[in-house]
């Protein structure tokens, strides 16, 4: 009789286990082994379009890239004195950790600037410095919103849908219209305020470049104040996150903010601001938030675990640069003048196409670096016989046939059936915008 030793039995069992493990892995090879949050994250449509543009440009294609909300630093360099101060800070070896809430020198300068520029009284302890505005927005959501809490934001708007997802919020998207410059009105928001904990607004607005008037924002603030008066002491307030990162880049229109209009809003308003846009310093990564001490302190505590502070040399340099407000104002006035000139050329170009009978429209720019454009060609047929099914199809058609890259409003929470697009002029010279217009016209005329 054949007898098995214990070693042989062990080996047999091990072999069976390995076979089962291989079989199990084959069955599950297509299953993603990550968190539910990560598994369901939606990639950025702007990045997708940008990658397509970069791939084509690498192959030699000439494309007018109006997609990215960034600035060509060869056309729009940061202030020379700011650059000098950054270099000096590195030469002085200011390369260790900054304080968690930012250098006191910078917070003091921000406090002075807020008072001088907007007549807002926030001391250094009310201000939090981070690496641009994104960590601040994320921290506002994480500090205020619990799973299932109601968050309200308009569409189109930048990234609120993604931040709402990251916080497991009950997102209420309020669709806006061309008639109101794609900004929410008090009447739009009123039905949704009950039980909400956060209202996210931005002015000048990314993606449209439009702005709240004093009357529009006043009516919204009155709603927020009235809603909070109804709530008991044990209820979470309705907070307003007010993103004014483009506030210095306005063209004739007056920038307005909640606390300046209603001092009572101070208890409920968290501002998002910084140098990324107004100083053409998107890569320098210095942003600041300010608001109620309770919220700012909790945001600071949260971000100490994320490590989202701005680099110490850049903080030091920004503080030094802001010591001379005249330098800041001179740069901003010149910079926004150039942006306005480019936006006017693009706006006029679209209006000229409209005058020729093309199905296009644009909204006169009020601020930021964006023009809102309507290209009403969804459902049209391309020269190859295929149909433009949605706004993304039109984007990629124009990239390939016109050398023009835009971002559809679907990247900002709207449906792909919407024929509206964001055009950012920060990456192009005015002459490049002028050269692209005939190419856009030709491509649109080919659609039947």
């Amino acid at each position: 009789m054949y007898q098995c030793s214990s070693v042989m039995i062990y080996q047999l069992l091990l072999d069976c286990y390995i076979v089962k493990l291989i079989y199990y892995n084959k069955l599950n090879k297509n299953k993603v082994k990550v968190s539910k949050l990560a598994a369901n994250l939606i990639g950025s449509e702007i990045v997708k379009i940008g990658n397509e543009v970069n791939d084509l440009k690498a192959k030699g294609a000439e494309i007018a890239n109006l997609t990215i909300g960034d600035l060509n630093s060869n056309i729009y360099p940061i202030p020379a004195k700011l650059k000098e101060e950054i270099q000096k800070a590195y030469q002085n070896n200011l390369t260790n950790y900054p304080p968690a809430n930012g250098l006191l020198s910078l917070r003091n300068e921000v406090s002075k600037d807020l008072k001088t520029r907007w007549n807002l009284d926030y001391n250094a302890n009310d201000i939090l410095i981070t690496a641009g505005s994104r960590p601040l927005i994320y921290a506002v959501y994480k500090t205020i919103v619990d799973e299932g809490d109601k968050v309200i934001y308009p569409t189109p708007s930048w990234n609120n849908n993604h931040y709402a997802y990251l916080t497991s919020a009950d997102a209420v998207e309020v669709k806006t219209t061309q008639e109101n410059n794609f900004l929410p009105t008090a009447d739009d928001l009123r039905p949704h305020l009950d039980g909400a904990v956060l209202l996210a607004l931005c002015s000048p607005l990314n993606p449209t470049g439009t702005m709240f008037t004093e009357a529009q924002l006043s009516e919204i603030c009155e709603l927020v104040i009235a809603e909070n008066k109804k709530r008991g002491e044990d209820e979470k307030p309705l907070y307003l996150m007010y993103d004014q990162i483009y506030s210095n880049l306005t063209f004739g229109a007056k920038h307005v903010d909640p606390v300046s209009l209603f001092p009572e809003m101070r208890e409920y308003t968290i501002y998002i601001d910084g140098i990324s846009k107004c100083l053409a310093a998107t890569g320098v990564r210095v942003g600041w938030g300010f608001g109620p001490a309770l919220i700012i302190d909790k945001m600071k505590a949260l971000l100490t675990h994320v490590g989202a502070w701005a680099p110490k040399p850049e903080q030091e340099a920004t503080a030094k640069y802001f010591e001379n407000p005249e330098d800041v104002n001179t740069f901003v006035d010149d910079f926004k003048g150039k942006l306005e000139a480019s936006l006017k050329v693009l706006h006029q170009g679209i209006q000229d196409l409209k005058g020729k009978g093309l199905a296009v429209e644009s909204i006169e720019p009020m601020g930021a670096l964006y023009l809102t454009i309507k290209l009403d060609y969804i459902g049209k047929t391309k020269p190859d016989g295929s149909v433009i099914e949605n706004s993304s199809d039109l984007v990629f058609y124009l990239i390939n046939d016109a050398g023009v890259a835009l971002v559809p409003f679907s990247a900002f929470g709207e449906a792909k059936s919407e024929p509206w697009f964001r055009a950012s002029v920060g990456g192009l010279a005015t002459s490049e915008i002028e050269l692209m217009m005939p190419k856009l016209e030709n491509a649109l005329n080919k659609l039947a």
Side-chain angles (χ1 to χ4, degrees):
M1 180 183 291
Y2 180 76
Q3 294 183 339
C4 293
S5 70
S6 59
V7 173
M8 292 175 66
I9 292 172
Y10 175 78
Q11 186 62 51
L12 180 63
L13 291 172
L14 182 60
D15 289 344
C16 289
Y17 174 77
I18 291 172
V19 169
K20 285 183 178 180
L21 188 61
I22 293 170
Y23 177 70
Y24 177 81
N25 284 335
K26 284 183 178 179
L27 285 178
N28 293 277
K29 65 180 181 180
N30 294 322
K31 293 184 179 179
V32 180
K33 301 301 179 187
V34 296
S35 69
K36 290 180 181 179
L37 182 145
N40 293 292
L41 275 174
I42 299 172
S44 167
E45 190 171 0
I46 301 174
V47 172
K48 178 183 176 183
I49 297 168
N51 288 341
E52 176 85 5
V53 170
N54 290 334
D55 288 346
L56 289 171
K57 291 181 77 171
K59 295 174 184 175
E62 292 185 4
I63 298 176
N65 189 357
L66 297 161
T67 64
I68 190 165
D70 199 357
L71 298 142
N72 183 328
S73 55
N74 291 312
I75 301 172
Y76 301 111
I78 66 172
K81 291 184 179 179
L82 176 61
K83 185 187 295 185
E84 290 171 9
E85 292 294 347
I86 292 172
Q87 293 168 336
K88 190 185 300 182
Y90 277 103
Q91 290 167 356
N92 291 335
N93 295 320
L94 298 180
T95 52
N96 54 344
Y97 288 134
N101 57 344
L103 292 179
L104 179 58
S105 58
L106 177 54
R107 289 184 284 119
N108 279 331
E109 290 303 324
V110 170
S111 176
K112 292 176 188 175
D113 186 73
L114 294 175
K115 179 62 178 176
T116 302
R117 198 173 298 278
W118 310 120
N119 198 30
L120 290 170
D121 287 303
Y122 287 86
N123 65 43
N125 291 328
D126 299 323
I127 297 165
L128 173 61
I129 309 295
T130 62
S133 63
R134 293 176 194 235
L136 292 163
I137 297 172
Y138 176 70
V140 169
Y141 270 82
K142 292 296 288 184
T143 298
I144 293 171
V145 182
D146 287 311
E147 182 177 356
D149 276 351
K150 187 193 293 188
V151 172
I152 307 168
Y153 54 85
T155 60
S157 65
W158 179 81
N159 251 29
N160 280 300
N161 54 334
H162 298 295
Y163 289 115
Y165 172 75
L166 289 171
T167 49
S168 301
D170 175 15
V172 176
E173 297 184 337
V174 178
K175 184 173 174 54
T176 58
T177 64
Q178 175 190 357
E179 290 71 27
N180 293 312
N181 288 329
F182 291 103
L183 292 161
T185 66
D187 286 340
D188 294 332
L189 298 170
R190 186 177 286 105
H192 308 292
L193 296 185
D194 185 38
V197 301
L198 182 64
L199 169 62
L201 300 178
C202 175
S203 182
L205 177 62
N206 180 6
T208 63
T210 55
M211 299 167 57
F212 283 116
T213 65
E214 183 173 329
Q216 287 173 321
L217 187 59
S218 292
E219 290 178 356
I220 293 172
C221 290
E222 287 171 347
L223 283 182
V224 174
I225 293 168
E227 177 62 30
N228 280 315
K229 285 181 178 178
K230 288 173 15 184
R231 300 193 180 186
E233 292 183 3
D234 295 334
E235 290 182 86
K236 195 182 294 184
L238 169 60
Y239 290 101
L240 170 60
M241 181 180 73
Y242 198 67
D243 182 349
Q244 60 172 32
I245 194 73
Y246 298 97
S247 57
N248 286 308
L249 303 180
T250 61
F251 316 127
K254 177 187 175 184
H255 173 71
V256 291
D257 74 272
V259 176
S260 293
L261 295 176
F262 293 91
E264 307 99 298
M265 286 295 298
R266 185 185 180 97
E267 186 179 349
Y268 310 116
T269 305
I270 305 99
Y271 290 84
I272 308 296
D273 211 333
I275 70 169
S276 294
K277 307 299 182 177
C278 68
L279 297 185
T282 53
V284 177
R285 310 312 301 147
V286 178
W288 48 81
F290 52 100
L294 171 66
I295 302 299
I296 295 299
D297 287 347
K298 294 300 182 183
M299 287 169 62
K300 179 181 74 172
L302 171 70
L303 292 177
T304 58
H305 301 296
V306 178
W309 46 76
K312 190 173 184 179
E314 279 75 357
Q315 289 195 44
E316 172 77 6
T318 303
K320 291 289 185 183
Y321 185 66
F322 269 74
E323 287 177 1
N324 297 292
E326 290 183 4
D327 290 343
V328 178
N329 293 336
T330 298
F331 177 87
V332 168
D333 288 344
D334 177 70
F335 173 46
K336 75 177 181 180
K338 292 173 181 175
L339 287 178
E340 183 180 13
S342 288
L343 285 164
K344 283 184 175 179
V345 167
L346 181 56
H347 176 54
Q348 186 58 53
I350 297 297
Q351 293 301 309
D352 289 345
L353 296 185
K354 178 183 175 182
K356 293 179 180 180
L358 278 75
V360 301
E361 184 58 278
S362 55
I363 297 176
E364 187 170 357
M366 302 169 71
L369 49 141
Y370 309 117
L371 184 72
T372 299
I373 297 175
K374 184 178 186 181
L375 303 174
D376 205 359
Y377 287 86
I378 296 173
K380 301 294 185 181
T381 303
K382 293 185 283 187
D384 64 4
S386 61
V387 176
I388 302 285
E389 299 283 356
N390 53 47
S391 59
S392 292
D393 284 352
L394 184 55
V395 163
F396 289 106
Y397 167 73
L398 292 177
I399 289 173
N400 289 293
D401 283 64
V404 176
L406 303 166
V407 179
F409 273 17
S410 59
F412 305 99
E414 291 278 23
K416 288 193 173 186
S417 57
E418 293 288 340
W420 291 94
F421 301 81
R422 184 188 82 173
S424 171
V425 299
L428 298 176
T430 304
S431 58
E432 294 177 286
I433 296 172
E434 292 170 338
L435 289 172
M436 84 170 202
M437 294 308 300
K439 299 176 184 178
L440 176 62
E441 178 182 0
N442 183 53
L444 293 177
N445 276 326
K446 289 179 182 178
L447 296 174

